[in-house]
Amino acid sequence: MSDNIIEIEHVSKRFGHVVALDDVTLNVKRGEVVVIIGPSGSGKSTLLRCINHLEAVDSGRIVVDGIPLTEAKNIDKVRAEVGMVFQLFNLFPHLTALGNITLAQRVVRKRSEEEAEEIAHQLLAKVGIPEKAHAYPAQLSGGQQQRVAIARALAMQPRIMLFDEPTSALDPEMIKEVLDVMLDLAQEGMTMVVVSHEMGFVKAAANRIAFMCDGYIVEETTPTELFAAPREERTKQFLSQILI
Amino acid sequence: MALDDASCQTDRAAPEPEGGIRGFWARVDRAWLLVVGVVVITAWMIQTRPDPYRRAFVFLEDGIRVTISITVVSFLFILIVGLLGGLGRISKNPLISGIAAVYVEVVRGIPLLVQLLFIYYASPIVLRDLGRHLAGILPGLAARLIAIKLNPFAAAVLGLTACYGAYMSEIFRAGIESIAKGQMEAARSLGMGYLQAMRHVILPQAIRLVLPPVGNEFVSLLKDSSLVSVVAVADMTRRGREFMASTFLALETWLLVALLYLVMTLFFARLVAYIERKTSFVR
């Protein structure tokens, strides 16, 4: 087995006439943190969503932890191994923080309620809000909600975590508390694919950075190289706009 | 964490209600007064003018019981049909969604009264003829089809369920569709299957959302159950007609029947409002 935990090979995807992904190839090694940047509509989120099959690819091949994402029965298996954090948190509003974190553990992992709750309390402590176990999402700030969402994904003990613009719906003062949790995860050796424009996070944690535009990966390298000497004109243009 | 959690928490609790009579007055749902008022008027009529109101009430009593049981039994079936129909309508399988769509459209296009008449009077003929055609092939089944006799109560429940099930399907469909797409995605991304996500994530939210229209359906059903009097069910309306036929007291009979329906519908409308308040959550 190769040490690539995610293999994306020549993947294409279109929505109607819009080409969202155009022959994208990207491999992620175990324990690596890969950040995807690019203008809106460039296909970053679509690529991320293809990794756990929230979107089906039109052509090409995606293999996650040795499991090809082709047959229907593989999909739930892959999804349980891949945690996903959404831009708008997508917490379950009818459940408390604890309920959000324990639901899939009980339903998918078949853990007992006590076991699931113990794990949930540990994870809430890990993301820094142990006292919010019984709060409903509407009673939490955006940053707290996103941290509960991260804990919810971690409770499945995933081998890979996908982050889809996890801080872009947050007030500036709450971004740090979420990024701190993500940095901790990266330091623990979690494999992460992150769509984000938080350059602080990129510099602190990213092993590699991919710049996407118009559905394909324009350039893929280390953050240091990308910031110091972007090869492509399109990359330079984009970086000059976000790194003011 | 650096942030002070308490400072950025939004507290949406309303100020504590006052104590005493005024506090109670502020908290109580004033529409209950209407229910109490109608009950008092009805009871007062029965008390002060036993003839004919007490006599009529005693005569109607088993009809009241039939009306309530037919409504409640039908409603349970309607909820099941509505849930299945609603899930069917949003199904990605074209056969399932097609069947659900045809059912809803056909049933919504035929008056309930006609549906009841058809089920009670016409469907036994359909079954009998079907039985005759099948006699050569499946004699056992054919004999049973020919022998089927619909009991009026069953026919009434069947008719009400078929009709209201279609409306309920639309309510459930709208409720499920109004839950943000991200909820299903979040549930699926955690490894839950479609049905698990429906059961644990989507439906608990959708049901709270559709509670008001579902409650309205219950009240409408209670009123429309008076139509079953045409298929030989001795409900309150039919008993009223019988009472009027033997006493010729048209005004008194229908006044009392109307008041009794009103007591029930007002009461259930309040009950629905109460349940709605109890199960709501901040979204």
Side-chain angles (χ1 to χ4, degrees):
Chain A
M1 202 157 116
S2 72
D3 57 348
N4 286 334
I5 193 164
I6 303 173
E7 293 173 8
I8 300 170
E9 287 164 16
H10 305 292
V11 162
S12 294
K13 164 86 186 168
R14 30 168 81 238
F15 296 107
H17 293 295
V18 182
V19 179
L21 295 177
D22 184 8
D23 194 24
V24 172
T25 296
L26 180 73
N27 293 321
V28 179
K29 292 189 182 64
R30 231 167 268 275
E32 217 177 14
V33 177
V34 175
V35 175
I36 305 172
I37 61 169
S40 68
S42 60
K44 321 179 288 284
S45 290
T46 306
L47 181 61
L48 205 63
R49 291 158 60 83
C50 284
I51 297 174
N52 69 351
H53 206 267
L54 284 181
E55 305 288 355
V57 302
D58 293 337
S59 61
R61 204 170 106 94
I62 297 182
V63 181
V64 176
D65 204 13
I67 309 168
L69 281 192
T70 38
E71 291 166 59
K73 63 174 188 213
N74 283 340
I75 287 156
D76 284 340
K77 212 155 78 185
V78 168
R79 281 178 178 152
E81 307 298 329
V82 180
M84 179 140 189
V85 175
F86 300 86
Q87 182 177 6
L88 297 174
F89 330 132
N90 296 356
L91 289 179
F92 308 136
H94 61 301
L95 299 175
T96 59
L98 202 64
N100 267 279
I101 302 172
T102 53
L103 179 63
Q105 294 190 61
R106 289 190 286 111
V107 173
V108 180
R109 292 274 191 243
K110 309 288 179 209
R111 289 181 190 141
S112 71
E113 194 158 338
E114 296 80 49
E115 194 189 355
E117 284 189 4
E118 197 185 318
I119 293 172
H121 282 297
Q122 284 168 10
L123 287 168
L124 281 172
K126 184 185 165 89
V127 299
I129 40 172
E131 74 285 1
K132 296 293 183 192
H134 299 287
Y136 284 89
Q139 297 166 317
L140 299 172
S141 70
Q144 291 169 341
Q145 288 191 53
Q146 193 61 296
R147 286 187 279 163
V148 172
I150 294 173
R152 176 175 73 176
L154 290 176
M156 302 300 285
Q157 276 135 356
R159 304 198 193 151
I160 302 163
M161 285 285 283
L162 308 176
F163 291 83
D164 188 4
E165 308 206 32
T167 56
S168 48
L170 296 177
D171 291 337
E173 54 182 332
M174 289 161 189
I175 289 177
K176 186 177 178 300
E177 64 193 48
V178 172
L179 289 181
D180 283 346
V181 171
M182 290 169 62
L183 278 173
D184 283 349
L185 270 182
Q187 267 147 26
E188 286 166 19
M190 175 69 79
T191 308
M192 292 162 69
V193 182
V194 182
V195 172
S196 176
H197 293 138
E198 293 299 334
M199 289 305 147
F201 177 80
V202 170
K203 282 172 186 153
N207 301 108
R208 272 189 304 143
I209 183 163
F211 172 63
M212 274 187 86
C213 187
D214 299 330
Y216 64 96
I217 295 178
V218 176
E219 183 159 2
E220 183 215 316
T221 173
T222 63
T224 341
E225 270 179 47
L226 190 84
F227 293 136
R231 284 191 302 265
E232 305 289 329
E233 196 50 42
R234 189 69 187 82
T235 319
K236 282 177 201 161
Q237 220 177 32
F238 181 75
L239 286 177
S240 71
Q241 274 160 6
I242 61 165
L243 300 174
I244 325 167
Chain B
M1 286 291 134
L3 267 172
D4 180 8
D5 290 327
S7 70
C8 53
Q9 193 185 330
T10 46
D11 190 4
R12 292 187 192 157
E16 277 295 302
E18 299 171 62
I21 296 288
R22 282 187 57 186
F24 175 76
W25 190 235
R27 265 177 287 129
V28 80
D29 180 353
R30 264 165 246 185
W32 279 105
L33 281 182
L34 191 59
V35 184
V36 174
V38 176
V39 170
V40 167
I41 290 172
T42 314
W44 175 76
M45 279 166 48
I46 292 169
Q47 271 310 314
T48 55
R49 285 193 54 199
D51 190 33
Y53 291 121
R54 176 178 292 275
R55 204 148 57 86
F57 183 75
V58 170
F59 190 87
L60 291 174
E61 229 180 315
D62 51 338
I64 299 174
R65 235 168 284 137
V66 170
T67 288
I68 291 177
S69 55
I70 228 164
T71 305
V72 170
V73 171
S74 304
F75 197 66
L76 293 178
F77 285 114
I78 289 164
L79 287 176
I80 297 168
V81 170
L83 181 58
L84 293 177
L87 288 173
R89 288 276 272 156
I90 58 167
S91 170
K92 288 207 181 73
N93 183 326
L95 183 67
I96 295 175
S97 66
I99 291 172
V102 168
Y103 160 64
V104 168
E105 293 303 327
V106 166
V107 164
R108 283 203 303 189
I110 302 172
L112 175 55
L113 185 57
V114 175
Q115 288 182 44
L116 286 167
L117 291 169
F118 186 91
I119 287 174
Y120 188 61
Y121 293 110
S123 66
I125 301 173
V126 174
L127 292 178
R128 190 194 62 202
D129 289 355
L130 190 67
R132 283 182 188 155
H133 282 292
L134 288 175
I137 317 160
L138 294 161
L141 179 69
R144 279 166 73 183
L145 283 178
I146 293 170
I148 279 181
K149 274 196 77 175
L150 264 183
N151 114 12
F153 190 89
V157 169
L158 195 63
L160 291 174
T161 302
C163 181
Y164 270 76
Y167 294 111
M168 201 61 90
S169 299
E170 286 299 276
I171 291 175
F172 274 103
R173 179 184 63 80
I176 293 167
E177 281 181 343
S178 69
I179 302 300
K181 209 166 138 250
Q183 291 289 309
M184 179 56 94
E185 288 181 351
R188 298 305 302 271
S189 77
L190 289 164
M192 284 187 229
Y194 178 80
L195 290 178
Q196 286 175 331
M198 264 295 159
R199 176 171 157 219
H200 296 285
V201 176
I202 307 298
L203 286 180
Q205 298 179 57
I207 284 169
R208 286 174 173 95
L209 218 60
V210 301
L211 213 56
V214 166
N216 286 340
E217 287 296 286
F218 183 84
V219 173
S220 298
L221 177 68
L222 184 65
K223 292 184 288 179
D224 280 352
S225 74
S226 64
L227 291 172
V228 304
S229 59
V230 301
V231 293
V233 177
D235 78 321
M236 196 158 78
T237 303
R238 191 182 178 90
R239 292 295 279 166
R241 244 172 24 209
E242 288 168 10
F243 187 76
M244 189 186 66
S246 62
T247 61
F248 302 106
L249 295 168
L251 171 66
E252 290 82 350
T253 305
W254 296 119
L255 182 63
L256 186 65
V257 169
L259 280 170
L260 289 173
Y261 272 115
L262 193 57
V263 167
M264 290 195 272
T265 52
L266 288 176
F267 173 77
F268 282 115
R270 283 307 97 210
L271 195 65
V272 169
Y274 174 78
I275 295 170
E276 210 178 298
R277 270 204 310 278
K278 282 284 151 192
T279 56
S280 66
F281 59 91
V282 187
R283 280 158 63 85

